[in-house]
Amino acid sequence: MKTSPIYIALGANLPSAGRSPARTLALALDALSARGITVVTRSSDWHSPAWPDPSAPAYVNAVAEVETDLAPRALLDLLHEIEAEFGRVRHIRWESRVLDLDLLDFRGGPHSDEAGLEVPHPRMAGRAFVMLPLAEIAPHWRQPETGRAIADLITALPPADVTATRKLHTILR
């Protein structure tokens, strides 16, 4: 019996150890694999402007479907551990970063705890840089809380956000 998928978002807009953000995303997926997380599929890399400071370097974003026997909290902790290994230090919300790994959806179920786990990710449906790569690998995905189709969620995004988020055709790894 096939279980519902697990999706994670990846993003970076600063170099890590001299590597480009795109290369960092690829290496982050390798780090997940090295820890026993199966990367089932991944989206293309996508470009999105920095927010809330558009003068900061643009982001490279992607979404991956993964498979694991870990519980949601353990997977989120592992994502944070990998971020730290790549040099991520959390100081200010929404600051530029060398790596951001977010747990978007864990098998379609709600999961939360007192330590900050909230899945599905509470802000994912409002982010073109998450929804467009997710639609690329999971065109039939539906928002777990509402059942809304991903195409409808993308249509509801601000058109300027959708236009500003574009697939990178040349991926430097």
Side-chain angles (χ1 to χ4, degrees):
M1 179 174 88
K2 182 165 172 43
T3 59
S4 296
I6 300 167
Y7 296 106
I8 61 167
L10 303 94
N13 73 328
L14 297 176
S16 172
R19 297 179 296 255
S20 71
R23 181 71 180 137
T24 298
L25 298 190
L27 291 172
L29 290 173
D30 290 346
L32 284 167
S33 294
R35 288 170 174 81
I37 307 299
T38 302
V39 178
V40 177
T41 190
R42 69 155 296 180
S43 71
S44 300
D45 288 341
W46 289 71
H47 173 276
S48 65
W51 186 91
D53 179 6
S55 69
Y59 277 85
V60 176
N61 302 98
V63 171
E65 178 184 338
V66 300
E67 184 54 48
T68 180
D69 290 332
L70 293 176
R73 165 49 61 191
L75 178 57
L76 183 61
D77 290 345
L78 178 63
L79 296 178
H80 289 168
E81 179 183 306
I82 292 171
E83 287 177 345
E85 288 174 11
F86 278 80
R88 169 99 187 256
V89 178
R90 294 172 185 265
H91 292 294
I92 301 168
R93 190 174 193 182
W94 296 313
E95 69 183 334
S96 292
R97 57 202 64 172
V98 297
L99 182 61
D100 186 29
L101 300 172
D102 288 328
L103 182 53
L104 299 176
D105 184 358
F106 194 97
R107 305 196 193 290
H111 304 277
S112 62
D113 66 22
E114 305 78 33
L117 172 70
E118 192 170 356
V119 179
H121 192 288
R123 293 172 298 285
M124 68 184 282
R127 295 177 169 174
F129 62 85
V130 171
M131 300 310 289
L132 294 171
L134 179 60
E136 181 183 2
I137 64 169
H140 302 294
W141 181 84
R142 291 187 170 273
Q143 187 178 35
E145 306 94 334
T146 65
R148 288 182 68 190
I150 194 165
D152 294 338
L153 294 166
I154 290 171
T155 299
L157 290 168
D161 291 356
V162 173
T163 302
T165 304
R166 66 186 195 288
K167 190 185 300 188
L168 294 173
H169 297 287
T170 304
I171 300 173
L172 302 175
R173 296 203 197 274

